[in-house]
Amino acid sequence: IIGSGGGIDILAALSAGCPDITCVEINPAVVAAMRGPFRDFSGGLYLLPQVKVAVAEGRSFIQRDSSLYDTLQLSMVESLAADSSGAYALSENNLYTVEAFRDFLSRLEKEGVLSVSRWDLQSLRTVSLALAALEGLGERDPGQHLMVFRSGRIATLLCRRTPFPEEEIRRMEEAARSLRFETLYTPLSPRDPDFSGLIAAPDREEFFRRTPSDVSPSTDDR
C-alpha cells in the first residue's frame, strides 16, 4: 500500500485475508498518530503483526525494494487540502508518470495487480500511463491487461503484467454489478467510449490532440 494514511486500504487487505501487508507512508506524523492517539480508534492497524510500515516516499521505496507483491495499491494518493491551499502549486507528483508505473509493474508477481484509484477526471490520464508503461515493457496488446471501474466520482484502474483471464474478468464484472460499481472498461465490456477509444486508438497521439484536456502520459521530464 502506497500512501497508507488512516488505514482504509489496510482494512481492505485484512478483510480479504491478506497475511502480509507492507505500508508506505510519507508523513511520519501520520504514522505517529496512528500508533499513538488514534491507536485504539483505528483498531491498532499500524501495530498488527502482519502489517509492516515504512516511513518513506512511495516511489523511492519501490525502487530500492526487491520484494514482489500480489497487489500494489495506490488509493487517492494526494492531498486536496494542500492542493486547495496552493501549497503544491509549483510541485509535481512523481507517482503518476510512465516511469513510475513501470517501477510499480516491475514489483508485481507474474499475475499481480496494480490498483490505482483517482478522481474520475484524472482517470483517462491514469489509463494513458498504464498503456505507455505496458508498451514500454514489451506488451503488444495492453488493452487485455486493463480494467476500469467507477464508484461515484472515483475511478479505479486495475492493471496486470499478464492479460486478465476471461473468467477473472467475468467475476470482476459480476462483483462490480453487485457492489454497484460502474464498469467503464474491461477487455470483454469496453463500455465507455472515451476509455475504449483511448485503448483501441490506432494513433494515440491523434486521440490526445482531439481530447479537450491533456490526457497524454506524463513522464519524469514532462
Side-chain angles (χ1 to χ4, degrees), residues 76-155:
M76 307 296 289
V77 185
E78 54 202 6
S79 171
L80 289 181
D83 287 347
S84 62
S85 70
Y88 290 161
L90 299 178
S91 72
E92 297 172 340
N93 192 332
N94 74 349
L95 293 175
Y96 301 112
T97 68
V98 175
E99 293 87 348
F101 273 46
R102 286 181 195 158
D103 290 341
F104 300 148
L105 291 170
S106 71
R107 296 268 65 83
L108 291 176
E109 297 280 5
K110 182 180 178 181
E111 297 180 353
V113 176
L114 170 65
S115 173
V116 184
S117 297
R118 304 200 74 190
W119 296 112
D120 57 355
L121 290 174
Q122 303 165 332
S123 53
L124 266 181
R125 170 167 274 179
T126 307
V127 171
S128 300
L129 292 169
L131 292 169
L134 286 165
E135 289 171 343
L137 292 169
E139 303 300 338
R140 296 188 175 182
D141 190 5
Q144 300 299 310
H145 301 241
L146 306 176
M147 292 193 278
V148 188
F149 303 92
R150 181 166 59 199
S151 177
R153 294 177 55 207
I154 297 174

Side-chain angles (χ1 to χ4, degrees), residues 10-218:
I10 302 175
L11 288 171
L14 292 171
S15 71
C18 182
D20 184 8
I21 305 167
T22 299
C23 304
V24 184
E25 172 55 51
I26 194 171
N27 190 341
V30 169
V31 177
M34 290 291 287
R35 288 174 170 167
F38 289 102
R39 179 184 59 194
D40 294 338
F41 179 80
S42 69
L45 291 176
Y46 273 44
L47 297 169
L48 295 175
Q50 65 268 53
V51 177
K52 299 187 289 288
V53 181
V55 177
E57 190 276 324
R59 188 169 167 197
S60 296
F61 179 89
I62 286 293
Q63 287 176 332
R64 66 176 183 268
D65 183 30
S66 59
S67 302
L68 295 178
Y69 296 92
D70 297 310
T71 304
L72 187 59
Q73 187 152 322
L74 295 83
S75 299
M76 307 296 289
V77 185
E78 54 202 6
S79 171
L80 289 181
D83 287 347
S84 62
S85 70
Y88 290 161
L90 299 178
S91 72
E92 297 172 340
N93 192 332
N94 74 349
L95 293 175
Y96 301 112
T97 68
V98 175
E99 293 87 348
F101 273 46
R102 286 181 195 158
D103 290 341
F104 300 148
L105 291 170
S106 71
R107 296 268 65 83
L108 291 176
E109 297 280 5
K110 182 180 178 181
E111 297 180 353
V113 176
L114 170 65
S115 173
V116 184
S117 297
R118 304 200 74 190
W119 296 112
D120 57 355
L121 290 174
Q122 303 165 332
S123 53
L124 266 181
R125 170 167 274 179
T126 307
V127 171
S128 300
L129 292 169
L131 292 169
L134 286 165
E135 289 171 343
L137 292 169
E139 303 300 338
R140 296 188 175 182
D141 190 5
Q144 300 299 310
H145 301 241
L146 306 176
M147 292 193 278
V148 188
F149 303 92
R150 181 166 59 199
S151 177
R153 294 177 55 207
I154 297 174
T156 296
L157 163 73
L158 302 179
C159 177
R160 279 177 34 140
R161 281 294 305 272
T162 56
F164 281 103
E166 182 174 330
E167 177 56 31
E168 192 168 328
I169 297 170
R170 295 193 187 282
R171 290 204 309 271
M172 284 297 302
E173 291 179 347
E174 178 57 35
R177 282 192 293 271
S178 65
L179 295 170
R180 298 184 180 180
F181 277 69
E182 179 184 2
T183 297
L184 299 179
Y185 175 88
T186 75
L188 298 178
S189 303
R191 295 178 181 171
D192 185 282
D194 290 332
F195 288 90
S196 58
L198 168 61
I199 293 167
D203 183 351
R204 210 166 288 146
E205 291 300 322
E206 173 61 24
F207 179 92
F208 295 145
R209 284 192 293 270
R210 290 189 288 103
T211 304
S213 300
D214 183 0
V215 297
S216 61
S218 47

